[in-house]
Amino acid sequence: MPWNALPRLDWRAKIAGLSAASRARLAARARSAPLFAHAYALHLNMRFGGMTPKKLAEFAHAQRLSGLKIHVEDGEQASLARMSDDALRAYGEVVESLGLELHVETSTTEAAGLSDAVRIALATGATSLRCYPRYEGHISQIIDWTIADLRRLNEFDPQGRLRFTLEQHEDLKSDELIHILQAVANPRLSLLFDFGNMINAYELPLPALAAQAPHITEVHVKDCLIQSDRGGWAHLACLTGEGHLPMQAMLVELLLLGEDRPQVLAFGLEEEEGYIAPALRFPSEEPDPFIAARSASFTDIGTGDLDARLRQEGAAAHRQVEIVRSMLGDIATEAERTEG
């Protein structure tokens, strides 16, 4: 099926159909949405341009964001993974002094990597840790291994200081992720919804969001172009607002989650211009398909002018903050309109 076979949701019509109370709640949440800087928006600068975790925190503060999300490996030699415990605590103090909340991310659920990421998160005073499986194997094996991994979360964090999120990261479908959550049955484990990663698992954004909605507490906000790939779909990340994703519609649905209080606690601004992810699931696949080994996400630096590319990425990160705030402002304004 072509990716654009389903009609796009008219987000304005959705808002118009809400009750007055729901519209008021939506407007308030859109104007106060917890936006977080995400290190991947400055991925190349952190690999090649001397960007450090401290500078990322300063960026988040300067942009008046609520917090920051950073991978344990972001920043190369300056990364959290290479800091001593004392340096981790000092970094956490810097983040706190700037009035920011810190979320840590890792690209594994395997015991060694996950337990070390928990150590790092606890030392920095982070409140949340994101993970996802990156196993090679049949889907049934990946699911079983991930369940076994995540059942050890209480062992790694016995005092229950962290919230944990499992991200949809291009290979598992929504029902498979929900099955993992239900099997692990840890109230501190929920889902992180990425705006584009379901594409590679041959799912569409809005149906995936609807399926995962009861379990979503955090989000990665980005845009992408959807491309045909061997019968499935690849995604090419692009500047926010210039891709194929129904971003305003997804923001509306996510902001509406939760009755008395917002269910989504963080919207990570993860601009990824130039990131390419191939199709991993296909409409004609066998019942238990095999997923080949893959590396953690990275963006190719290319062969052009390095300084120009780093400046381009920095400008895109700043622009995304402005664009997402504008989208949220439009949603709030639409929700505040009176009928007639």
Side-chain angles (χ1 to χ4, degrees), residues 131-171:
C131 62
Y132 66 88
R134 210 173 75 244
Y135 284 116
E136 177 178 71
H138 290 281
I139 288 294
S140 61
Q141 295 174 306
I142 294 171
I143 290 171
D144 288 345
W145 293 331
T146 304
I147 291 169
D149 290 340
L150 296 179
R151 282 177 172 164
R152 300 186 65 181
L153 291 177
N154 288 338
E155 173 187 336
F156 301 145
D157 180 24
Q159 295 181 334
R161 292 166 55 189
L162 291 169
R163 291 183 294 104
F164 296 93
T165 56
L166 174 66
E167 182 181 358
Q168 38 150 189
H169 211 280
E170 303 167 1
D171 56 347

Side-chain angles (χ1 to χ4, degrees), residues 38-61:
H38 196 293
Y40 207 97
L42 293 156
H43 172 70
L44 297 176
N45 277 273
M46 297 198 81
R47 286 172 60 199
F48 304 107
M51 186 82 175
T52 64
K54 183 175 182 291
K55 290 179 181 178
L56 179 68
E58 292 168 349
F59 168 82
H61 178 69

Side-chain angles (χ1 to χ4, degrees), residues 4-176:
N4 56 356
L6 295 180
R8 295 174 71 92
L9 177 68
D10 184 338
W11 61 272
R12 291 184 174 85
K14 166 78 176 188
I15 293 173
L18 296 173
S19 68
S22 293
R23 289 200 305 274
R25 186 165 63 242
L26 176 62
R29 291 179 181 180
R31 295 204 183 281
S32 61
L35 301 182
F36 279 52
H38 196 293
Y40 207 97
L42 293 156
H43 172 70
L44 297 176
N45 277 273
M46 297 198 81
R47 286 172 60 199
F48 304 107
M51 186 82 175
T52 64
K54 183 175 182 291
K55 290 179 181 178
L56 179 68
E58 292 168 349
F59 168 82
H61 178 69
Q63 297 299 310
R64 298 176 289 108
L65 301 175
S66 299
L68 64 152
K69 293 177 174 287
I70 184 167
H71 195 283
V72 294
E73 298 287 349
D74 283 325
E76 304 300 311
Q77 292 304 311
S79 69
L80 302 183
R82 289 164 177 77
M83 289 185 189
S84 67
D85 286 348
D86 286 344
L88 289 169
R89 283 189 287 272
Y91 178 65
E93 290 169 1
V94 168
V95 172
E96 183 179 15
S97 73
L98 295 173
L100 299 168
E101 182 176 346
L102 177 62
H103 292 182
V104 171
E105 300 192 346
T106 188
S107 299
T108 185
T109 62
E110 294 185 67
L114 190 56
S115 63
D116 195 53
V118 170
R119 176 190 65 81
I120 291 168
L122 292 175
T124 58
T127 58
S128 175
L129 175 65
R130 177 226 60 176
C131 62
Y132 66 88
R134 210 173 75 244
Y135 284 116
E136 177 178 71
H138 290 281
I139 288 294
S140 61
Q141 295 174 306
I142 294 171
I143 290 171
D144 288 345
W145 293 331
T146 304
I147 291 169
D149 290 340
L150 296 179
R151 282 177 172 164
R152 300 186 65 181
L153 291 177
N154 288 338
E155 173 187 336
F156 301 145
D157 180 24
Q159 295 181 334
R161 292 166 55 189
L162 291 169
R163 291 183 294 104
F164 296 93
T165 56
L166 174 66
E167 182 181 358
Q168 38 150 189
H169 211 280
E170 303 167 1
D171 56 347
L172 297 180
K173 293 181 178 288
S174 296
D175 62 325
E176 294 159 352

